[in-house]
Amino acid sequence: IRTTQPTALKETLYAKYRIEIPIMQKQDEVYLRISMQAYNDEAELQQLREALVEIVEQTDLLALSGV
């Protein structure tokens, strides 16, 4: 993903959307780790997508990159 603020993005996802997801940084790259389990469903994945789109539209925490 494209962000210069991975910690703020992680905090926003949890505080505003109640989505807890690992966001990892390795050198200049930042990764969002999506891990589906048997107890997750498509609606939760859609909720993540909608949250990311809203963050792109309303903040500077995430740059648009095929969300």
Side-chain angles (χ1 to χ4, degrees), residues 2-21:
R2 295 185 192 163
T3 183
T4 58
Q5 304 174 67
T7 302
L9 176 59
K10 180 178 175 62
E11 291 170 355
T12 298
L13 282 167
Y14 187 74
K16 186 171 182 180
Y17 304 96
R18 293 295 183 229
I19 295 173
E20 191 165 2
I21 190 165

Side-chain angles (χ1 to χ4, degrees), residues 10-47:
K10 180 178 175 62
E11 291 170 355
T12 298
L13 282 167
Y14 187 74
K16 186 171 182 180
Y17 304 96
R18 293 295 183 229
I19 295 173
E20 191 165 2
I21 190 165
I23 298 178
M24 299 160 286
Q25 188 167 6
K26 184 176 180 181
Q27 297 172 359
D28 293 337
E29 299 289 326
V30 179
Y31 301 92
L32 186 72
R33 183 172 173 250
I34 300 172
S35 180
M36 295 296 289
Q37 300 296 327
Y39 51 82
N40 296 117
D41 59 25
E42 190 173 333
E44 290 171 311
L45 191 57
Q46 182 64 25
Q47 179 185 7

